[in-house]
Amino acid sequence: MSGKIAASILSADFGRLGDEIRKVEEAGVDWIHVDVMDGHFVPNITIGPPVVRSLRKGTSLFFDVHLMIETPERYIRDFAEAGSNLITVHVEAAHHLHRTVSIIRESGCLAGVSLNPATPFVLVEPILPEVDLLLLMSVNPGFGGQKFIRSALPRIREAREYIDSRSLPVLVEVDGGIDRTNLKEVRKAGADVFVSGSAIFGEPSPGDAVREMRKILDDPSL
């Protein structure tokens, strides 16, 4: 697998979200990444299930919903019913992580867990056999357009080695500051899914940005 590109709509024009998604879909993006923020777990507020439901009507793309919210278990079913395919919760926010992951699965979605940059990897180890995806933050969550934290690279390698050594069917996703300048080394470190927002939607042509990223990921040397 050359890697999946997940376009984060956090950096899109919210007045034209449907059009923005169509542009990147036509360019061959794999997933739509939806950042949900509550103003408590992170210092920002974004969107809720009604927006996901509305967007779902216009595309069949895979919806990768990232809940950066406190007590995420309260809202999982709402996001699942709105059309999410994968729901990711933070280790730091879910007080009963196994139960929360079970709720995601019972709602019919794939399950993911996420770690902030300063959270020890060991905290996610017990839950990895129960999930489909591990999301590693390469910025501190809350805002788009931040610079990639380079200490994320050894964390990605650690995750890849841990997952592979146990033959776990878990994808490694990386979110934060991903662009064409660091995509190759993030891929080489072991990531499978690459979340990019401002490097796609902040460009004059989001479609061209996606095509350039795809060209990098399809490099046979990787």
Side-chain angles (χ1 to χ4, degrees):
M1 184 181 72
S2 63
K4 295 183 181 298
I5 301 171
S8 171
I9 61 171
L10 182 63
S11 298
D13 182 345
F14 272 49
R16 302 186 301 111
L17 272 181
D19 289 339
E20 296 271 71
I21 289 175
R22 275 189 289 275
K23 287 179 185 176
V24 296
E25 182 173 15
E26 291 170 0
V29 80
D30 299 289
W31 293 1
I32 294 298
H33 187 84
V34 183
D35 287 308
V36 178
M37 307 180 189
D38 62 359
H40 295 283
F41 181 66
V42 292
N44 199 0
I45 298 174
T46 55
I47 64 177
V51 175
V52 174
R53 184 176 294 108
S54 178
L55 294 175
R56 172 48 74 204
K57 296 175 183 177
T59 180
S60 60
L61 280 174
F62 187 94
F63 276 12
D64 169 26
V65 176
H66 179 194
L67 300 184
M68 289 177 274
I69 62 177
E70 293 181 355
T71 57
E73 62 274 10
R74 295 186 298 170
Y75 303 99
I76 287 168
R77 289 189 174 87
D78 290 336
F79 279 101
E81 291 171 3
S84 306
N85 299 105
L86 165 71
I87 297 177
T88 296
V89 298
H90 272 260
V91 170
E92 303 89 352
H95 299 298
H96 304 287
L97 191 56
H98 280 84
R99 183 185 303 164
T100 302
V101 167
S102 295
I103 294 171
I104 296 173
R105 291 206 178 282
E106 290 164 6
S107 298
C109 293
L110 298 178
V113 291
S114 182
L115 285 179
N116 283 337
T119 302
F121 181 78
V122 67
L123 294 183
V124 81
E125 291 177 2
I127 197 66
L128 283 179
E130 313 299 326
V131 301
D132 303 286
L133 178 140
L134 170 64
L135 170 56
L136 299 175
M137 296 301 300
S138 46
V139 298
N140 289 297
F143 298 95
Q146 297 184 66
K147 187 177 180 180
F148 181 78
I149 297 174
R150 293 195 61 79
S151 60
L153 291 170
R155 168 75 67 96
I156 298 166
R157 295 188 196 100
E158 178 183 17
R160 179 83 276 151
E161 290 170 6
Y162 185 93
I163 289 167
D164 289 351
S165 68
R166 289 157 179 80
S167 300
L168 299 176
V170 178
L171 294 174
V172 175
E173 182 176 38
V174 181
D175 181 4
I178 301 293
D179 59 28
R180 282 167 281 181
T181 69
N182 54 37
L183 190 58
K184 184 176 289 188
E185 59 184 335
V186 173
R187 176 64 176 140
K188 285 184 174 180
D192 302 298
V193 185
F194 308 84
V195 179
S196 187
S198 57
I200 292 176
F201 293 111
E203 292 293 312
S205 171
D208 286 345
V210 170
R211 283 184 278 270
E212 286 297 318
M213 292 178 72
R214 173 61 62 204
K215 189 182 299 183
I216 293 170
L217 290 177
D218 286 346
D219 183 340
S221 68
L222 290 178

